[in-house]
Amino acid sequence: MNALRTNYVCYRLPEQSRYTYMAQTSGMPEVVGSVGDLGGREGFVIAPFVPSAAHPVLLLRPDVVETREVKPAAEVGDGVVRDEMCADDRETYARDFARFHGELSAGRFDKLVLSRCVRVDATSPVSAEDLFLKACRIYPHQFIALVEMRGAGTWLMATPEVLLEGCGDRWRTMALAGTMRAVEAHRDGEGVRWSAKNMEEQRYVSAYIAHILARYGEEVSARGPFTTAAAHLLHLRTDYAFRLSHRALPGELIDALHPTPAVCGMPKDEARRFIVDHESIDRQYYSGFCGPLSVDSETHLYVSLRCMRIDDGGFDLFAGGGILRDSEMETEWRETQTKLQTMLRLVIQ
């Protein structure tokens, strides 16, 4: 891996064979005061779970933009990733789970999302660009982004979740919640059978998004919930299409949506404060969002899931899952183990 040398991003939209390279060679990315201030701006944005002086909202204003072919990436190992490779923090996770679950059982929250971070040391030099290209190759249906900015560091993600996407007054978003491994899915004549817990989790997210769109959108239509695949995982998903109300600004809508209950909890503001105060990790840009903002009049913002932070010594991998009153620690732990596989497949040699 190379030391941070410039401010640049590479991103590939789902189902595309080409990716976009953007670089800002003069000046620094703009520090945006808040998510709500993004309205009227253009560039590539990366926002954290909670903006702060240490982890600000950053907007790269590119002076170099290139479209490139996705070529086969260098092999970095596609072997089996064993559970023990990312189990060092089990005791910490169990302690956090007990604290979070206690709040749910007491009725102070309807849902909380608990995350963890796993450190994987690099055993040999690895190019972040090669990892990006490999992710493009093995995850064709996800949004793949490599972000390297002073003030944020280097982040790579392969995420399935749209926060806000559109052009003009035509926009879409989604509620994505509920997770199971594809190999463990039980099917009947009507499709995948989801547990009551997963269905309830998805209802919380979809109800929240519908509530926000009632304030900021017009001609709102919903499709779902339906089962969708993301690599080796299945999720429940509801898609929303709408017109942005003439009274609303895109920045206001982004601020209202982020973070959705899919990465935070309910009630939203109280859940976010509780997570920041009591989760054992600093999420940084994990469970924030990133993507091109009003570039060629189009916006493609995705929630920063299935992601890792890259430095010269290795990789910090992040994963999380929604917890309800009837959640069990072992089940939730296994879900985070499964989610970690997405990035582990790229870095285990």
Side-chain angles (χ1 to χ4, degrees):
M1 290 171 289
N2 297 321
L4 195 65
R5 64 187 186 278
T6 187
N7 298 294
Y8 79 97
V9 299
C10 299
Y11 70 89
R12 200 263 350 247
L13 296 174
E15 319 299 338
Q16 300 298 306
S17 61
R18 298 171 69 86
Y19 71 94
T20 300
Y21 168 86
M22 293 180 170
Q24 182 173 340
T25 61
S26 61
M28 297 293 292
E30 179 185 358
V31 176
V32 182
S34 71
V35 170
D37 292 334
L38 288 171
R41 285 175 160 84
E42 299 179 8
F44 190 99
V45 62
I46 183 168
F49 178 63
V50 177
S52 66
H55 309 299
V57 180
L58 294 172
L59 183 69
L60 181 140
R61 297 179 178 275
D63 44 48
V64 177
V65 179
E66 300 174 1
T67 301
R68 301 174 176 178
E69 291 289 338
V70 175
K71 297 179 180 179
E75 291 297 331
V76 192
D78 271 331
V80 176
V81 182
R82 300 185 304 276
D83 281 351
E84 61 267 24
M85 291 178 176
C86 50
D88 290 347
D89 63 333
R90 183 185 178 95
E91 184 176 332
T92 300
Y93 181 86
R95 185 169 59 250
D96 281 356
F97 180 90
R99 183 184 297 118
F100 278 47
H101 193 260
E103 295 292 309
L104 291 161
S105 298
R108 285 185 277 272
F109 299 98
D110 296 316
K111 175 185 176 179
L112 289 169
V113 175
L114 174 60
S115 302
R116 50 188 286 235
C117 177
V118 171
R119 179 69 177 178
V120 177
D121 293 330
T123 57
S124 61
V126 177
S127 161
E129 290 87 347
D130 280 349
L131 295 177
F132 166 79
L133 290 171
K134 184 178 182 183
C136 289
R137 176 170 57 82
I138 64 178
Y139 301 127
H141 311 302
Q142 272 74 271
F143 174 77
I144 313 297
L146 171 64
V147 180
E148 188 168 290
M149 293 190 206
R150 288 180 172 85
T154 304
W155 291 79
L156 176 65
M157 63 204 68
T159 174
E161 184 172 353
V162 172
L163 179 70
L164 184 65
E165 196 168 48
C167 178
D169 64 352
R170 297 284 185 175
W171 297 86
R172 74 181 190 95
T173 185
M174 67 172 59
L176 192 75
T179 303
M180 76 169 81
R181 293 177 61 193
V183 296
E184 295 176 348
H186 299 287
R187 303 174 186 270
D188 54 27
E190 299 181 354
V192 175
R193 288 183 290 167
W194 287 91
S195 70
K197 183 263 182 184
N198 278 303
M199 294 175 66
E200 183 180 6
E201 188 178 351
Q202 214 278 342
R203 280 194 294 270
Y204 281 128
V205 180
S206 57
Y208 177 80
I209 290 178
H211 171 72
I212 295 300
L213 295 184
R215 292 167 50 197
Y216 293 96
E218 298 174 349
E219 302 177 25
V220 179
S221 64
R223 183 175 71 91
F226 57 91
T227 299
T228 186
H232 53 292
L233 298 173
L234 300 178
H235 300 288
L236 277 169
R237 170 176 153 186
T238 301
D239 286 344
Y240 296 88
F242 61 98
R243 289 181 180 271
L244 188 65
S245 169
H246 68 278
R247 302 180 303 276
L249 297 174
E252 295 176 349
L253 176 56
I254 296 167
D255 192 38
L257 287 172
H258 171 70
T260 73
V263 297
C264 183
M266 288 294 292
K268 170 183 167 176
D269 292 337
E270 292 86 345
R272 179 154 59 171
R273 284 194 294 269
F274 180 83
I275 289 168
V276 170
D277 290 341
H278 297 286
E279 200 170 58
S280 290
I281 70 166
D282 180 358
R283 293 190 183 188
Q284 304 173 48
Y285 290 89
Y286 165 68
S287 69
F289 64 88
C290 74
L293 179 70
S294 298
V295 173
D296 294 331
S297 300
E298 293 189 4
T299 291
H300 301 275
L301 302 181
Y302 280 74
V303 181
S304 301
L305 303 177
R306 316 292 192 268
C307 70
M308 63 182 171
R309 188 178 67 85
I310 304 172
D311 59 39
D312 285 335
F315 317 90
D316 291 319
L317 282 61
F318 294 81
I323 298 175
L324 305 181
R325 292 182 185 90
D326 60 349
S327 294
E328 298 178 348
M329 188 285 234
E330 187 62 34
T331 300
E332 300 302 329
W333 168 263
R334 288 199 303 270
E335 180 176 317
T336 61
Q337 292 283 84
T338 299
K339 290 175 176 177
L340 288 167
Q341 303 290 313
T342 301
M343 288 291 107
L344 277 166
R345 286 187 64 196
L346 302 178
V347 302
I348 295 297
Q349 301 185 40

